[in-house]
């Protein structure tokens, strides 16, 4: 099964809009450093585990698969949400997802107002919809 996550640019927008992340097994992320650009990591009970401290969450890299890293602070990572996580974040605002030609369309109902978000991938369409919800919460 292929895991599909939102694109990095939309993940940055989600983070900047205030979307928080509590790492769980199966979550994917990248690091905010040029040294690891293009690398995507997966939180796993075996290789990358979140450790919560009073000072914040650290992702610990175990074993030889990530030999160049011992750990990284959560604030130095960028969560790449999966489409199922994004759909869950939409909650009761989610109306439907459909494919129109080469685009995916997500519609949400925000207090009686129907909003549509189009993207080339399902996760990105969901991400745009989540951004629409977040922008309404901060307005």
């Amino acid at each position: 099964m292929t895991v599909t996550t939102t694109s990095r640019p939309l993940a940055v927008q989600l983070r900047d809009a205030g979307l928080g992340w509590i790492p769980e097994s199966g979550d994917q992320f990248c690091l905010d450093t040029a040294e690891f650009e293009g690398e995507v990591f997966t939180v796993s009970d075996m290789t990358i585990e979140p450790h919560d401290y009073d000072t914040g969450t650290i992702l610990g890299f175990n074993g030889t698969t990530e030999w160049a890293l011992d750990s990284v602070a959560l604030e130095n990572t960028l969560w790449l949400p999966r489409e199922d996580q994004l759909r869950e974040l939409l909650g009761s605002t989610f109306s439907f997802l459909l494919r129109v030609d080469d685009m995916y369309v997500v519609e949400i109902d925000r207090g009686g107002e129907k909003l549509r978000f189009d993207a080339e991938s399902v996760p990105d369409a969901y991400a745009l919809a989540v951004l629409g919800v977040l922008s309404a919460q901060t307005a």
Side-chain angles (χ1 to χ4, degrees):
M1 176 174 125
T2 302
V3 176
T4 55
T5 62
T6 191
S7 64
R8 183 182 170 97
L10 279 173
V12 169
Q13 289 181 43
L14 287 165
R15 179 188 60 197
D16 293 349
L19 182 63
W21 177 40
I22 299 171
E24 295 183 7
S25 188
D27 287 353
Q28 294 189 326
F29 66 96
C30 55
L31 303 179
D32 280 341
T33 75
E35 182 181 357
F36 291 96
E37 190 167 331
E39 294 284 335
V40 174
F41 302 94
T42 302
V43 176
S44 167
D45 294 333
M46 296 292 289
T47 56
I48 303 174
E49 295 179 283
H51 303 283
D52 296 316
Y53 299 101
D54 292 338
T55 57
T57 301
I58 300 292
L59 296 174
F61 289 75
N62 305 321
T64 59
T65 57
E66 309 303 344
W67 59 269
L69 293 171
D70 289 329
S71 64
V72 63
L74 193 62
E75 59 266 13
N76 295 324
T77 65
L78 176 65
W79 176 35
L80 302 170
R82 297 184 312 265
E83 64 181 86
D84 63 301
Q85 293 169 315
L86 293 162
R87 186 175 51 250
E88 184 177 325
L89 288 168
L90 290 173
S92 62
T93 67
F94 176 68
S95 297
F96 63 79
L97 165 73
L98 63 93
R99 184 171 181 144
V100 177
D101 299 320
D102 60 346
M103 299 294 284
Y104 293 92
V105 178
V106 169
E107 183 179 282
I108 62 172
D109 184 333
R110 201 172 65 187
E113 180 184 14
K114 305 245 185 253
L115 301 171
R116 293 177 67 146
F117 302 90
D118 303 1
E120 293 180 1
S121 72
V122 173
D124 283 355
Y126 280 125
L128 290 169
V130 169
L131 283 167
V133 170
L134 290 172
S135 69
Q137 291 174 352
T138 59

